[in-house]
Amino acid sequence: MNVLLIHQAFASPLDAGGTRHWEFAQHCLAASHGFTVVTSNLRYLTGEPRSQPAGALGDGQPGGMRILRASTYRALHRSFIDRTVSYLSFMVTAAWRALRVGSVDLVMGTTPPIFQAVSAWVVARYRRRPFLLEVRDLWPAFAIDMGVLRSRPLIWLARRLETFLYDRADRLLVNSPAYRDYLLARGIPAAKVSLIPNGVDPAMFDPAAKGEAVRRQWQLEGKFLVVYAGALGMANDIPTILRAARRLEQRPEIHFLLVGDGKERANLETLAREW
């Protein structure tokens, strides 16, 4: 079976970000299935161009999969409007790129952002292949709750698009039991919804490793470390960590280490310097 995934924010182990879909691909490859990813030519967390041009195989085909780049409008983190335009540009170019991929047996879309799921549906419909939709976060509910999406007409359109995709997916995949409950409350049949939560492969970690090299590199020997590793975005509430660090600034043996990237990084660095 050949799987085609359309995912603007796809991350390999060489990128910042979650590698959930790279792990999916590894399991597919181990079972002798093909796996092709159509992703953006820009790094999602920073908006910076990737080293590989659009349409080329990227990152040296990690794990043997094919990674194809689609040109994306470079304004992902400027404003809500620019971000939407960036999403829409990828929606169009990703669909065009995906339609030129070879043999495909299953088309997988993922949301958010929800627009790339439209690309996956279009490709699945055109190729007459099953459409698997993964829901990793509840959009537009998340955008509404965060106050990012306030326009009533836009909220209505977003809700209609959400329902449209749920109804047309042959299968829905979620990463949280709460999301499954949400879909069931929306009237989606239970047999149509599968749960694969995010997880950790213990084989990737060495219990004996203590991170001495990292401690030496950043002069952290003998420190009690409070570590955050993840995205630096609006939803992650990193200022709370910075406020905690400020309260403990008179305890030099405690050191806060933030590892990650995202659109809020520059603002957070400024905030940390000001405090």
Side-chain angles (χ1 to χ4, degrees):
M1 181 175 69
N2 293 314
V3 179
L4 171 64
L5 167 66
I6 298 178
H7 189 8
Q8 186 171 354
F10 176 82
S12 77
L14 304 177
D15 299 309
T19 57
R20 173 180 172 89
H21 301 93
W22 185 85
E23 299 292 344
F24 280 178
Q26 301 313 301
H27 286 284
C28 287
L29 295 169
S32 300
H33 300 302
F35 203 97
T36 300
V37 181
V38 175
T39 188
S40 174
N41 64 324
L42 304 178
R43 298 188 183 279
Y44 187 78
L45 290 180
T46 64
E48 295 299 318
R50 295 179 182 271
S51 58
Q52 294 287 344
L57 294 176
D59 296 335
Q61 295 179 270
M65 75 185 78
R66 287 198 301 165
I67 301 180
L68 308 177
R69 309 292 186 201
S71 296
T72 309
Y73 176 61
R74 190 181 175 184
L76 185 60
H77 298 313
R78 292 179 186 173
S79 67
F80 175 77
I81 298 298
D82 285 321
R83 186 160 59 252
T84 302
V85 173
S86 179
Y87 293 155
L88 291 173
S89 72
F90 178 77
M91 179 183 73
V92 174
T93 58
W96 175 253
R97 190 73 181 90
L99 288 172
R100 294 154 56 199
V101 173
S103 176
V104 173
D105 300 299
L106 173 68
V107 181
M108 180 178 178
T110 182
T111 175
I114 200 169
F115 303 109
Q116 63 188 4
V118 175
S119 307
W121 171 75
V122 168
V123 173
R125 182 73 179 269
Y126 181 83
R127 288 178 170 261
R128 299 182 181 180
R129 293 294 185 264
F131 171 41
L132 169 63
L133 175 60
E134 179 192 39
V135 179
R136 294 175 292 107
D137 212 337
L138 299 180
W139 198 96
F142 172 78
I144 296 169
D145 292 343
M146 291 291 294
V148 176
L149 189 60
R150 301 178 181 178
S151 168
R152 289 186 179 273
L154 289 179
I155 290 174
W156 182 83
L157 288 172
R159 291 291 193 191
R160 291 296 298 271
L161 178 59
E162 178 189 28
T163 301
F164 176 89
L165 290 169
Y166 291 167
D167 289 344
R168 282 155 182 78
D170 294 284
R171 191 83 174 188
L172 289 161
L173 174 64
V174 297
N175 62 354
S176 166
Y179 297 167
R180 185 177 187 274
D181 294 341
Y182 172 86
L183 293 175
L184 298 184
R186 294 284 301 269
I188 304 296
K192 188 177 177 178
V193 184
S194 298
L195 168 66
I196 301 180
N198 291 331
V200 175
D201 181 2
M204 297 174 61
F205 300 91
D206 179 5
K210 298 181 180 179
E212 291 92 344
V214 174
R215 286 179 177 271
R216 286 194 299 270
Q217 180 182 355
W218 298 101
Q219 300 178 357
L220 298 173
E221 296 95 330
K223 301 288 186 180
F224 179 89
L225 293 183
V226 180
V227 180
Y228 169 86
L232 303 179
M234 182 186 302
N236 305 106
D237 196 21
I238 305 302
T240 296
I241 301 177
L242 296 181
R243 286 193 292 271
R246 185 183 183 188
R247 293 189 176 190
L248 294 170
E249 61 184 353
Q250 301 303 320
R251 299 284 301 276
E253 73 279 11
I254 301 176
H255 195 93
F256 284 72
L257 181 63
L258 276 61
V259 183
D261 211 338
K263 66 179 182 178
E264 290 296 309
R265 176 169 178 165
N267 294 333
L268 292 169
E269 289 177 343
T270 299
L271 185 60
R273 285 193 296 268
E274 290 176 349
W275 283 356

